[in-house]
Amino acid sequence: MAAKRATSSKKATSKNPSIKNPEVYEALRDQGASAEKAARISNAQAKYGDRGANAPSSKGGKSPPYEDWRRDDLYAKAREIGLKGVSRATKSDLIHALRSH
């Protein structure tokens, strides 16, 4: 299944001129990042480079891990970023939805 996804994502980068750094995009997709996240990071890295104040970080922000958040806070974050169908989701379902968005 991973080979099929890798093949389809390679097609996506060759047909999608909005991907500015296809090598970084493919590496992130191979690591399991969503297409949207991989595109954001690869395009930011193409624009700002991999060092400096505006460069995208590989570790992310300073926010505590989702496991330390309350369910209500996770729900609020999910709604903030536009996830639909999460009103009855459990805490673990919300964490999964937020990480795979």
Side-chain angles (χ1 to χ4, degrees):
M1 183 169 163
K4 183 177 181 181
R5 188 193 54 73
T7 302
S8 64
S9 68
K10 286 187 190 307
K11 288 179 187 174
T13 57
S14 65
K15 292 181 181 179
N16 190 346
S18 67
I19 303 297
K20 306 300 184 213
N21 193 337
E23 294 80 22
V24 171
Y25 177 86
E26 293 302 328
L28 290 165
R29 292 291 287 153
D30 290 341
Q31 293 172 10
S34 70
E36 180 183 352
K37 181 177 181 179
R40 282 194 316 260
I41 293 171
S42 67
N43 289 346
Q45 207 169 56
K47 183 174 183 177
Y48 300 112
D50 59 354
R51 301 226 189 286
N54 293 327
S57 171
S58 61
K59 290 193 78 160
K62 305 289 185 223
S63 182
Y66 285 143
E67 287 78 13
D68 294 346
W69 291 32
R70 294 178 325 136
R71 189 243 175 239
D72 292 340
D73 297 330
L74 292 166
Y75 175 72
K77 182 67 172 179
R79 296 298 296 162
E80 176 186 327
I81 63 173
L83 296 179
K84 305 281 186 202
V86 294
S87 63
R88 294 187 178 152
T90 63
K91 181 177 178 175
S92 62
D93 291 338
L94 286 166
I95 291 171
H96 177 73
L98 288 165
R99 286 189 174 145
S100 61
H101 166 48

